[in-house]
Amino acid sequence: MTGTEKFVLKNVCGQRYIGTRLYSKNGNKPRVDIDITGTPREATSEPSCPATAVRVHGNVQDGVGNTMDDGEIVVEGRAGDVLGMSMRGGKIFIRDNTGYRTALHMKEYLDKKPVLVIGGTSQDFLGEYMAGGIVILLDWATSPTTRPSSEQECTVE
């Protein structure tokens, strides 16, 4: 791979490991854009290259962005469970809701700060064991199932 590479994948239905560990024979990290139509499955889209961009026109299943180190993922739909697990860099944008254990073990690493933006709501255990990074939940206040109880403290930076 040299320069910018663009891959268009259509009718994706459960395929795994799309966009993982992209490199060239000479060790360079090329710019890679992956455009997906359909529903990719777990362990999908773990960009390790700073210039990798993955756009999914649809929903994604569990495990997307697992151990993500850099790059960007944009999902024009909802995400399953364990989104961004152990993510330590890059950005993920989800238009709709996410499942359980989103941002599990998410952490900052060296000068990298992972960012996860959720347009809808998230199920239980959002940010469980999180040790750094930014999670923004845009529809949090409108969902009675995700509001903190009166005994919980909630702060926003």
Side-chain angles (χ1 to χ4, degrees):
M1 289 190 237
T2 59
T4 299
E5 301 287 336
K6 180 164 184 164
F7 299 93
V8 177
L9 307 174
K10 295 183 179 183
N11 301 318
V12 171
C13 186
Q15 283 80 0
R16 301 171 64 184
Y17 305 111
I18 298 170
T20 60
R21 302 296 175 207
L22 300 171
Y23 62 91
S24 64
K25 289 181 182 178
N26 62 10
N28 293 337
K29 293 186 174 185
R31 165 117 186 128
V32 178
D33 293 329
I34 303 172
D35 196 69
I36 302 171
T37 302
T39 305
R41 200 169 141 201
E42 64 266 290
T44 298
S45 312
E46 302 163 10
S48 57
C49 303
T52 299
V54 177
R55 178 174 293 273
V56 179
H57 307 280
N59 301 320
V60 293
Q61 293 181 8
D62 301 344
V64 170
N66 185 1
T67 66
M68 185 172 171
D69 191 51
D70 218 328
E72 179 179 282
I73 300 171
V74 176
V75 177
E76 297 173 354
R78 64 182 181 279
D81 298 340
V82 294
L83 171 71
M85 178 177 167
S86 299
M87 181 182 175
R88 62 182 190 175
K91 298 176 181 174
I92 300 177
F93 301 93
I94 306 295
R95 186 189 68 197
D96 298 331
N97 302 330
T98 65
Y100 294 92
R101 290 193 153 77
T102 296
L104 175 69
H105 291 287
M106 187 178 183
K107 58 190 154 286
E108 293 179 35
Y109 179 72
L110 299 175
D111 62 339
K112 297 179 180 182
K113 183 179 283 196
V115 176
L116 174 58
V117 179
I118 303 164
T121 61
S122 181
Q123 296 291 324
D124 293 339
F125 310 107
L126 173 65
E128 184 177 30
Y129 308 116
M130 190 173 158
I134 299 169
V135 176
I136 301 171
L137 192 61
L138 298 174
D139 199 18
W140 182 47
T142 63
S143 175
T145 60
T146 57
R147 287 189 195 134
S149 70
S150 59
E151 291 136 20
Q152 293 174 314
E153 183 176 316
C154 193
T155 59
V156 178
E157 292 182 40

